[in-house]
Amino acid sequence: DAGVTQSPTHLIKTRGQQVTLRCSPKSGHDTVSWYQQALGQGPQFIFQYYEEEERQRGNFPDRFSGHQFPNYSSELNVNALLLGDSALYLCASSLKGTGYEQYFGPGTRLTVT
Amino acid sequence: AQSVTQPDIHITVSEGASLELRCNYSYGATPYLFWYVQSPGQGLQLLLKYFSGDTLVQGIKGFEAEFKRSQSSFNLRKPSVHWSDAAEYFCAVGGRSNDYKLSFGAGTTVTVRA
């Protein structure tokens, strides 16, 4: 049973560029959430996708956008990258109706130079 | 707004000794509560969760946590730590109804000495 997978593992980008991160949920899960974890901090909620729509959003600017595909996989897009966007980006999947029990992937480490 | 406080940034414990990690939450109603563990360079692994019912919950790897509504706390315990328990531990609170996000504390780093 495959868990949550994310790609790529590491990424280095330059300020002002755009980046796309990808996530495949755990088998049987239909909901995907994205979190940003800065160094030394706890994860911060970016948004959650269910039925291909953004269901809830945290306090992140519009530069952060996402998408969910019919197979439940998801992408996180960040435009006009800033140095402060350097972080570990975590994807979590869950099944609607199970009390928000979320399973996390290994993350994508984004470095903005 | 929901929030989580983990008062201890770093805890050092001897192998075989007991461990307790503190977590205090703020939420308007009874929340969903979680403990996750993160090893260096890894994602988060769910240790245990509390939704309702028995306030003492058992998790994986020999961990347990107790929900105390009067103290707004959800402390994590392990009777005897192993060297492999060295990691960062996060407490999280989740909403009910239409509030789906998890709010995490800043984490507690656990070091295990031989």
Side-chain angles (χ1 to χ4, degrees):
Chain A
D1 179 20
V4 180
T5 60
Q6 293 186 243
S7 63
T9 305
H10 296 89
L11 205 51
I12 299 175
K13 290 288 188 177
T14 303
R15 274 179 300 175
Q17 287 188 318
Q18 178 264 345
V19 68
T20 297
L21 310 181
R22 295 175 176 81
C23 171
S24 291
K26 180 179 169 66
S27 178
H29 283 185
D30 57 8
T31 302
V32 173
S33 303
W34 287 92
Y35 292 81
Q36 180 195 66
Q37 185 179 19
L39 203 59
Q41 298 182 23
Q44 298 291 318
F45 177 77
I46 302 174
F47 42 53
Q48 184 180 86
Y49 276 83
Y50 172 70
E51 293 187 338
E52 302 180 48
E53 291 191 357
E54 183 182 290
R55 181 159 70 170
Q56 188 176 6
R57 188 179 184 91
N59 295 324
F60 279 80
D62 292 344
R63 298 187 296 108
F64 289 77
S65 63
H67 188 77
Q68 185 179 34
F69 299 93
N71 67 353
Y72 308 122
S73 67
S74 177
E75 289 182 348
L76 164 66
N77 301 292
V78 187
N79 295 323
L81 284 167
L82 304 173
L83 294 179
D85 295 330
S86 295
L88 181 68
Y89 288 84
L90 295 164
C91 170
S93 73
S94 54
L95 183 61
K96 180 180 183 294
T98 58
Y100 317 116
E101 183 175 331
Q102 299 183 16
Y103 292 83
F104 284 80
T108 293
R109 172 71 63 187
L110 173 64
T111 302
V112 182
T113 62
Chain B
Q2 59 197 54
S3 65
V4 174
T5 301
Q6 294 181 245
D8 305 303
I9 297 173
H10 191 189
I11 287 180
T12 298
V13 60
S14 297
E15 192 169 16
S18 64
L19 174 68
E20 181 167 12
L21 304 182
R22 296 183 290 164
C23 171
N24 293 98
Y25 70 89
S26 173
Y27 191 71
T30 302
Y32 294 140
L33 293 161
F34 306 85
W35 274 99
Y36 285 87
V37 61
Q38 185 177 37
S39 298
Q42 302 295 313
L44 281 76
Q45 181 182 22
L46 179 65
L47 285 176
L48 48 77
K49 59 187 183 288
Y50 173 78
F51 290 164
S52 64
D54 192 348
T55 57
L56 184 64
V57 294
Q58 303 296 320
I60 63 171
K61 303 186 179 187
F63 285 93
E64 67 177 25
E66 186 172 12
F67 170 59
K68 293 186 177 180
R69 184 191 306 274
S70 61
Q71 299 177 20
S72 296
S73 70
F74 189 57
N75 294 348
L76 180 72
R77 298 193 292 257
K78 186 170 184 177
S80 177
V81 299
H82 186 262
W83 64 266
S84 60
D85 294 323
E88 187 151 24
Y89 292 79
F90 292 95
C91 181
V93 60
R96 294 170 179 255
S97 301
N98 296 320
D99 185 6
Y100 306 103
K101 66 179 180 294
L102 293 180
S103 297
F104 286 84
T108 298
T109 300
V110 173
T111 298
V112 180
R113 61 184 174 214

